[in-house]
Amino acid sequence: MLKKIIFLMALGLVIYSCAKVPMSGRNQLALVSNEELLPLAYEQYAQVLRENKVVTNTAQGQMVVRVGKRISEAVEKYMREQGFEKQLEGFAWEFNLIEDDIVNAWCMPGGKVAFYTGILPICQDEAGVAVVMGHEVAHAIANHGRERMSNGLLLNGLLGGAQAAMGQNPSLTQSIFLQAFGVGGQLGMLKFSRRHELEADQLGLNFMAMAGYDPRVAPGFWDRMSEGRNGAPPEFLSTHPGPGKRKEELQKQMPKALEYYERSTKR
């Protein structure tokens, strides 16, 4: 009887704690509020910057910042127009290039973006950086990390938000946070990764187009990404959608993205 009561309470919490992803409209679990999440993300981001070499006064470093600003401004404009501006409360955009050979980039809640120099040869140029930037910003706008963390807390019986979870089991909560946001090269909870990657592809394609970058370069980037720098794909792609599936979904979204792109070039 007690187990049934606990199950029904958890089910009620799940139903109550739902949110919608902007643009796609998909329902997602949201046991953790951004008010709780953003301070954790900002602290972790600052730690990453302290522990790594940040590239600033170079053409590549400036390019990452430039692309980030263009895309973040386009995203803010879109969110205001669609009535989603509250979802950006507390955002403090930041874009940094980190010197490291790993092929990676990520965006934490609140718009904290890190690019690694290892991905730039695959990007090739500013438009390629925009493909990655749009994709990573989309993860933050779609609250994928919050969703993964919420699922992680629920699966481990840690209900009531991040602060309550920290009080119940701080080490486990910290581990769930790091996995949810892929910090340190982790991919997070892999059974959610494919769905989130395809959704970030869709939203990111639109975001780069809104910022005035031609979305038609995106399929080529994912081709290069699947080949890797030495003819072999990065290991993490084994858990992500294959390039064929990615390109198929991108082509479905391309007409809409081109509409955004044409509007952006007429300003």
Side-chain angles (χ1 to χ4, degrees):
M1 183 65 180
L2 180 59
K3 288 183 178 180
K4 184 176 181 181
I5 293 173
I6 293 173
F7 171 77
L8 291 174
M9 289 176 64
L11 181 61
L13 180 62
V14 169
I15 294 172
Y16 179 76
S17 304
C18 279
K20 282 188 179 294
V21 178
M23 198 174 287
S24 77
R26 179 177 64 83
N27 288 323
Q28 61 180 178
L29 186 62
L31 296 178
V32 185
S33 68
N34 278 338
E35 288 80 6
E36 293 179 294
L37 205 52
L38 294 188
L40 294 174
Y42 292 175
E43 180 181 346
Q44 186 65 47
Y45 186 73
Q47 180 178 334
V48 170
L49 297 186
R50 286 194 303 269
E51 295 176 352
N52 291 274
K53 182 178 179 180
V54 179
V55 181
T56 53
N57 295 322
T58 68
Q60 290 183 330
Q62 292 168 3
M63 177 174 62
V64 167
V65 173
R66 181 169 62 251
V67 175
K69 286 183 176 179
R70 282 180 60 172
I71 288 182
S72 62
E73 288 171 0
V75 167
E76 287 181 348
K77 181 175 184 293
Y78 170 80
M79 297 289 275
R80 284 195 304 271
E81 291 173 348
Q82 299 300 315
F84 292 122
E85 63 270 18
K86 283 191 175 181
Q87 295 199 29
L88 294 178
E89 287 181 358
F91 266 57
W93 297 99
E94 194 171 347
F95 311 95
N96 282 288
L97 178 63
I98 294 173
E99 188 173 298
D100 197 301
D101 287 339
I102 63 172
V103 180
N104 201 10
W106 43 262
C107 180
M108 282 191 174
K112 300 297 187 181
V113 177
F115 259 69
Y116 293 85
T117 52
I119 202 172
L120 294 182
I122 297 175
C123 293
Q124 291 188 342
D125 54 22
E126 187 164 326
V129 170
V131 175
V132 179
M133 187 71 72
H135 175 92
E136 298 304 332
V137 165
H139 278 306
I141 297 300
N143 290 303
H144 288 157
R146 182 181 69 183
E147 182 178 4
R148 286 202 294 247
M149 187 170 183
S150 296
N151 279 287
L153 294 174
L154 182 64
L155 289 171
N156 286 278
L158 299 171
L159 305 177
Q163 295 302 321
M166 286 295 286
Q168 296 172 56
N169 193 326
S171 60
L172 178 57
T173 303
Q174 177 74 2
S175 176
I176 291 170
F177 173 82
L178 294 177
Q179 290 179 357
F181 297 102
V183 176
Q186 301 177 67
L187 281 174
M189 302 172 67
L190 299 183
K191 69 177 182 177
F192 299 105
S193 291
R194 294 179 187 274
R195 176 204 298 168
H196 288 169
E197 290 300 311
L198 290 174
E199 191 167 60
D201 283 353
Q202 173 192 342
L203 272 63
L205 192 73
N206 290 332
F207 291 159
M208 69 175 291
M210 292 173 188
Y213 293 104
D214 191 339
R216 288 169 291 194
V217 306
F221 167 81
W222 291 112
D223 279 338
R224 297 192 299 275
M225 190 67 155
S226 66
E227 294 168 0
R229 290 174 300 181
N230 300 309
E235 184 178 352
F236 73 81
L237 285 183
S238 65
T239 58
H240 284 48
K245 177 65 173 177
R246 272 202 138 115
K247 290 174 66 176
E248 177 186 341
E249 294 300 318
L250 285 170
Q251 292 301 339
K252 288 180 183 177
Q253 185 62 26
M254 195 63 69
K256 186 65 176 177
L258 286 172
E259 289 181 18
Y260 286 124
Y261 177 59
E262 290 171 6
R263 286 180 213 159
S264 71
T265 57
K266 291 178 180 177
R267 293 172 189 166

